[in-house]
Amino acid sequence: MAEWHELVVEGTERTLRAFVAGFLAGRGEHAGAFSAATSRSRRGRSASACGALRGGSHHVFLAPVPLAVPLAQALGERGRELGLAVERRRLVESARFSFRAEAFSREVAAQIRGALLTALPAGVRVEQRSEKEESHPEAHGPEPFAPLHEYIYRVSGDIVGPLEGVLEVWQRARTLEFVEAGSLHLEGKILSV
């Protein structure tokens, strides 16, 4: 898997997106990066790459090293005139997110297990895993408004590993019904401030 950098950029989101689009077009590229807002950007702290932006104008941009390095350089050379400044750049060493799910059918439980517990990309693992199944045969019958379900599956944990793999599982989790996926958190080494 490729090494990724996190760029924390100060400025408006619209201007940053336009700058990155122009930068990519100038290089003849169309994709290869991930952009998201950050709710915390204190130096040395884990940033939530997909949290809500709460007042302020800091944005997180994730890119593979061959794209991130020249992008940071271009922002340094031309960004100020557009109101953009790289506040921090760091090498992403790992990523993580928490999840939890509760399902009431064995089929849905199997989908959740497959997507979040067994079919994991290389280097990705589940930590703090808690998994429980309950069967209540006495609850058999029409379930939409039943106080007790015949089958209950609960699982929670943290998906941890390399950014690309964790991002793939995070995107999967967000498409599954009955799964709550938390914000993506990054750990890394600061390269420049």
Side-chain angles (χ1 to χ4, degrees), residues 61-143:
F61 191 84
L62 303 171
V65 170
L67 177 62
V69 172
L71 176 60
Q73 183 178 3
L75 281 163
E77 292 171 2
R78 304 300 301 260
R80 282 271 177 222
E81 60 197 65
L82 300 171
L84 300 173
V86 176
E87 183 177 286
R88 181 184 71 219
R89 182 168 58 101
R90 69 179 176 159
L91 174 66
V92 177
E93 295 173 329
S94 67
R96 75 180 317 119
F97 73 92
S98 297
F99 72 92
R100 68 183 195 136
E102 183 175 59
F104 305 105
S105 82
R106 295 180 195 284
E107 295 78 23
V108 173
Q111 287 178 335
I112 292 169
R113 269 193 205 99
L116 301 179
L117 304 177
T118 57
L120 297 175
V124 175
R125 64 194 179 282
V126 181
E127 294 181 353
Q128 307 295 319
R129 179 175 171 173
S130 173
E131 190 173 21
K132 184 176 179 182
E133 287 182 283
E134 297 176 20
S135 290
H136 301 280
E138 70 278 9
H140 184 70
E143 291 190 34

Side-chain angles (χ1 to χ4, degrees), residues 97 99 112 114-117 119-122 124-126 158-160 162-176 179 181 184:
F97 73 92
F99 72 92
I112 292 169
L116 301 179
L117 304 177
L120 297 175
V124 175
R125 64 194 179 282
V126 181
D158 296 329
I159 303 293
V160 180
L163 175 63
E164 284 181 274
V166 170
L167 188 57
E168 177 185 325
V169 179
W170 182 75
Q171 289 170 330
R172 260 190 242 163
R174 292 172 48 92
T175 65
L176 292 170
V179 174
L184 188 64

Side-chain angles (χ1 to χ4, degrees), residues 143-159:
E143 291 190 34
F145 302 104
L148 184 65
H149 294 276
E150 185 175 355
Y151 174 80
I152 303 170
Y153 173 72
R154 292 182 181 98
V155 64
S156 63
D158 296 329
I159 303 293

